[in-house]
């Protein structure tokens, strides 16, 4: 099984580009247990690329953009299935995970995907990661969706190396994001993107259900959730979930097919592609006290800010510490420094050291060095406190939560992870 054979079979199945990579590639080490869990015989991953139509993704009418996402996603699933069948006909075993959904929700909000299509595409040299955290294909740019076929066919050669980075750092994606999920220095606010852009994919539905449960009657619910929001959520449930923005892809001029026109008419690109998205009046979803809220208020005062609960709700103490870098807010962490020790006992016990240093975060296993504040509690109780099911004050008064050191740092810690 060679690169040439893999690519020819993928193109025949309908892919716009493809390459194969061995599962033992060092950049795929994190994928191995998940891939093998789904398909123990796995040896090779075939990365697939399906091209989207740029003008559809760029449209300020997001139903047009989302229709293109859906159509291309469905096409990718058909391509992956056709390739799996072709491999089977050649005597190989093969498996095609979904391009996006359905996923395995048993570990939600932990990892739900079988294989990271982005990571596989990067290892297969089909692109480079852009500032916007999406893969940029050297020819098609950001206007691609990715898929992966897993097979037991042993790969005998490596993909040709991609010798340049299609992302040239224009930072238009930074300017276009309504919640400031991207920063010029390369920082990425995962939770900001997830809470807004992916609202109708997963946790936004849970948020809506909680609004229903918390409302005393229909009038109270209508004050919380507008008719257009309810209709949008229902449309996502009926016709596949819709991105709220994805502007980072829409404005990206990278890629051989797109770069020339952009370089010849930058001002025209900004006027016709970027500005309509910036000027668009729309709801922006952000957690109260988050960097996203501050960004939206300052940068997009004409957009309707909608404060919501965090979509990332940890199911265990260990999951919480894994997720801290995803929910960390740099704004409340600026201008001070502290080291925290967390000694959480009982079922799901965990010890962790968290350091906040002038807008930067470090999370390590174990109790490392000296702490400015040491927190001791039952792990289950701590998760209840973090998710606002229990009062930290009552837990402290009853001795179930013990904080040794500067207790004011506990409130500062909470401000860096608003929920």
């Amino acid at each position: 099984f060679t690169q040439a054979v893999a690519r020819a079979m993928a193109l025949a199945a309908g892919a716009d580009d493809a390459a194969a990579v061995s599962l033992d590639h060092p950049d795929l080490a994190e994928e191995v247990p998940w891939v093998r869990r789904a398909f123990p015989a796995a040896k090779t991953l075939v990365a697939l690329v399906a091209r989207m139509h740029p003008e559809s993704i760029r449209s300020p009418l997001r139903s047009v953009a989302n229709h293109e996402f859906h159509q291309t996603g469905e096409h990718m699933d058909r391509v992956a299935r056709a390739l799996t069948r072709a491999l089977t006909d050649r005597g190989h075993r093969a498996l095609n995970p979904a391009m996006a959904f359905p996923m395995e929700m048993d570990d939600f909000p932990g990892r739900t995907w079988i294989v990271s299509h982005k990571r596989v595409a990067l290892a297969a040299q089909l692109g480079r990661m852009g500032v916007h955290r999406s893969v940029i294909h050297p020819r098609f740019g950001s206007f691609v969706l990715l898929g992966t076929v897993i097979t037991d066919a042993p790969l005998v050669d490596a993909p040709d190396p991609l010798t340049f980075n299609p992302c040239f750092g224009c930072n238009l994606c930074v300017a276009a994001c309504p919640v400031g999920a991207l920063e010029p220095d390369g920082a990425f606010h995962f939770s900001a993107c997830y809470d807004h852009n992916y609202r109708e994919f997963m946790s936004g539905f849970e948020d809506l259900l909680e609004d229903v449960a918390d409302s005393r009657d229909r009038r109270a619910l209508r004050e919380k959730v507008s008719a257009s929001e309810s209709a949008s959520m229902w449309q996502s449930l009926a016709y596949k979930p819709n991105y709220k923005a994805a502007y980072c892809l829409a404005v990206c001029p990278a890629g051989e097919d797109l770069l020339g026109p952009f370089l010849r008419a930058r001002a025209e690109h900004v006027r016709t592609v970027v500005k309509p998205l910036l000027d668009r009046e729309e709801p922006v979803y952000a957690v109260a006290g988050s960097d996203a809220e501050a960004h939206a208020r300052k940068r997009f005062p004409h957009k309707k800010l909608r404060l919501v609960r965090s979509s990332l709700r940890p199911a265990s103490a260990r999951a919480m510490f894994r997720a801290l870098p995803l929910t960390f807010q740099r704004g409340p962490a600026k201008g001070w420094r502290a080291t925290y020790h967390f000694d959480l006992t009982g079922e799901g016990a965990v010890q962790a050291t968290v350091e906040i240093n002038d807008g930067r975060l470090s999370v390590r296993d174990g109790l490392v060095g000296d702490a400015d504040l040491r927190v001791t509690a039952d792990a289950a109780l701590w998760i209840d406190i973090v998710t606002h099911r229990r009062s930290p004050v009552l837990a402290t008064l009853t001795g179930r939560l013990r904080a040794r050191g500067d207790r004011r740092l506990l409130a500062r810690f909470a401000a860096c992870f608003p929920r």
Side-chain angles (χ1 to χ4, degrees), residues 158-171:
D160 292 333
L162 180 62
T163 57
F164 70 100
N165 187 350
C167 179
F168 58 97
C170 68
N171 278 341

Side-chain angles (χ1 to χ4, degrees), residues 317 344-348 377-385 389-390 400:
L344 305 181
T345 60
E347 186 176 353
D378 177 77
L381 172 65
W382 178 251
I383 290 300
D384 283 347
I385 291 172
R389 291 194 292 263
R390 299 284 186 91
R400 300 185 65 194

Side-chain angles (χ1 to χ4, degrees), residues 115 125 180 320 336 350 411:
V115 61
Q125 304 297 297
M320 186 205 81
W336 58 280
V350 62

Side-chain angles (χ1 to χ4, degrees), residues 15-204:
D16 291 298
D17 200 2
V21 61
S22 176
L23 183 57
D24 62 10
H25 189 289
D27 293 348
L28 299 178
E30 188 175 324
E31 300 301 304
V32 172
W34 303 96
V35 169
R36 290 252 164 85
R37 179 184 175 191
F39 187 44
K43 294 179 181 176
T44 298
L45 306 175
V46 183
L48 305 172
V49 173
R51 184 183 186 183
M52 294 187 288
H53 297 299
E55 295 308 325
S56 295
I57 302 301
R58 289 170 171 172
S59 174
L61 302 180
R62 301 317 286 164
S63 64
V64 176
N66 278 297
H67 187 50
E68 179 65 17
F69 281 120
H70 294 160
Q71 286 186 308
T72 309
E74 290 168 0
H75 171 69
M76 174 56 78
D77 283 335
R78 289 194 294 269
V79 169
R81 186 174 186 274
L83 177 57
T84 299
R85 186 165 186 171
L87 285 165
T88 302
D89 289 343
R90 290 173 64 101
H92 303 298
R93 298 173 63 196
L95 183 82
N96 56 307
M99 185 281 299
F101 294 93
M103 292 187 183
E104 298 294 315
M105 291 298 170
D106 293 346
D107 195 38
F108 183 79
R111 174 164 171 151
T112 56
W113 54 96
I114 292 172
V115 61
S116 170
H117 302 312
K118 288 184 182 181
R119 189 170 285 154
V120 174
L122 294 175
Q125 304 297 297
L126 287 175
R128 292 282 183 267
M129 191 69 79
V131 172
H132 52 20
R133 298 311 195 276
S134 288
V135 174
I136 301 179
H137 186 270
R139 178 183 171 191
F140 309 134
S142 295
F143 298 96
V144 295
L145 290 182
L146 306 172
T148 305
V149 166
I150 307 168
T151 178
D152 67 350
L155 188 65
V156 299
D157 57 353
D160 292 333
L162 180 62
T163 57
F164 70 100
N165 187 350
C167 179
F168 58 97
C170 68
N171 278 341
L172 287 177
C173 56
V174 176
C177 182
V179 289
L182 307 167
E183 294 196 20
D185 64 0
F188 178 54
H189 297 269
F190 177 91
S191 58
C193 178
Y194 190 78
D195 289 329
H196 176 67
N197 192 40
Y198 289 85
R199 175 167 176 77
E200 294 181 3
F201 279 73
M202 297 187 202
S203 300

Side-chain angles (χ1 to χ4, degrees), residues 3 12 23 38 42 65 74 115 163 168 178 193 224 235 264 274 310 353:
Q3 291 293 329
L23 183 57
E74 290 168 0
V115 61
T163 57
F168 58 97
C193 178
K224 292 182 178 182
Q235 181 171 262
R264 288 192 296 271
V274 182
S310 173
T353 298

Side-chain angles (χ1 to χ4, degrees), residues 295-314:
H295 179 87
R297 289 190 186 280
K298 179 179 179 181
R299 183 82 171 81
F300 299 104
H302 60 286
K303 296 182 187 285
K304 183 180 178 181
L305 183 62
R306 176 87 154 76
L307 298 180
V308 297
R309 291 170 281 260
S310 173
S311 296
L312 297 170
R313 307 175 189 183

Side-chain angles (χ1 to χ4, degrees), residues 367-415:
L367 305 180
V368 182
D370 297 324
D372 299 291
L373 182 69
R374 178 169 178 149
V375 176
T376 305
D378 177 77
L381 172 65
W382 178 251
I383 290 300
D384 283 347
I385 291 172
V386 167
T387 54
H388 299 166
R389 291 194 292 263
R390 299 284 186 91
S391 165
V393 175
L394 182 60
T396 301
L397 291 175
T398 57
R400 300 185 65 194
L401 171 67
R402 299 187 298 279
R404 192 173 68 205
D406 187 349
R407 293 192 177 188
R408 293 173 299 178
L409 292 175
L410 203 55
R412 279 196 156 184
F413 181 89

